[in-house]
Amino acid sequence: MIYGIGTDLCDLRRVAASVERRGERFAEKVLGPQELAVFRARAAKLPLRGLRYLGTRFSAKEAFSKAIGLGMRWPMTWRHCEIVNAPGGKPEIALHGELAQWFAERRLLAHVSLTDESDHAAAFVVVEQLP
C-alpha cells in the first residue's frame, strides 16, 4: 500500500549561490558522511558535478520528507537521510538514528528517482507500507 508520494524540483543556481556564500558549510549541513565524501570527490574533479550531486541529494531529501509526511521536522533531519547509490548505480535511501527507527516501526520502504538537467535537479519518492 502506498504510504506517501513526494516530489521536489531544485534550482541549481540557488544551490550554487548558497555554496558560493557559505562554502562547503551548506554541503556539510545537507549531506551525510557518505554523501559528503562523494560530493567532495566529484567537486574536486569538476565543480559542476559536485553541484549537481548536491542538488539531487537536496531535492531527494525534500521529496522524501514530503512522502513520509513529516517535512523537515524531527525525526527527519538532513543528515539522518542519505541518498546513496547501489553497486549498479541505482539511488537508494539510507536512514540513520531515530529516523531509521521511526521508519522501521511503520514498516516502510522507499523508492527514489533522481534527475538533473542544466539548471535543475528533481526527485520523486514513493514510500510504501509493507503488510
Side-chain angles (χ1 to χ4, degrees):
M1 175 171 84
I2 293 180
Y3 182 86
I5 298 172
T7 188
D8 189 72
L9 178 65
C10 176
D11 187 332
L12 293 175
R13 295 168 294 193
R14 289 181 60 205
V15 174
S18 291
V19 170
E20 193 172 303
R21 273 192 321 273
R22 299 172 61 195
E24 202 172 270
R25 287 192 336 253
F26 179 70
E28 290 169 347
K29 175 184 175 184
V30 172
L31 302 177
Q34 292 177 26
E35 294 169 316
L36 196 54
V38 173
F39 166 75
R40 287 176 175 153
R42 289 185 181 192
K45 287 182 181 177
L46 185 64
L48 183 58
R49 281 193 74 209
L51 181 67
R52 287 183 170 172
Y53 180 84
L54 179 56
T56 57
R57 272 45 191 181
F58 180 91
S59 185
K61 292 175 188 203
E62 285 281 340
F64 177 75
S65 74
K66 294 170 187 176
I68 61 174
L70 292 177
M72 280 302 183
R73 67 174 202 271
W74 195 259
M76 176 63 198
T77 69
W78 293 110
R79 295 177 51 79
H80 280 159
C81 175
E82 287 192 280
I83 313 304
V84 298
N85 288 353
K90 176 185 173 198
E92 297 179 335
I93 297 176
L95 303 176
H96 311 292
E98 291 181 48
L99 181 58
Q101 181 180 348
W102 180 92
F103 198 74
E105 287 171 355
R106 285 157 183 77
R107 301 172 42 83
L108 301 177
L109 176 65
H111 308 277
V112 61
S113 178
L114 308 172
T115 190
D116 63 86
E117 183 65 38
S118 59
D119 292 334
H120 294 92
F124 187 78
V125 175
V126 175
V127 175
E128 61 180 306
Q129 190 165 38
L130 302 173

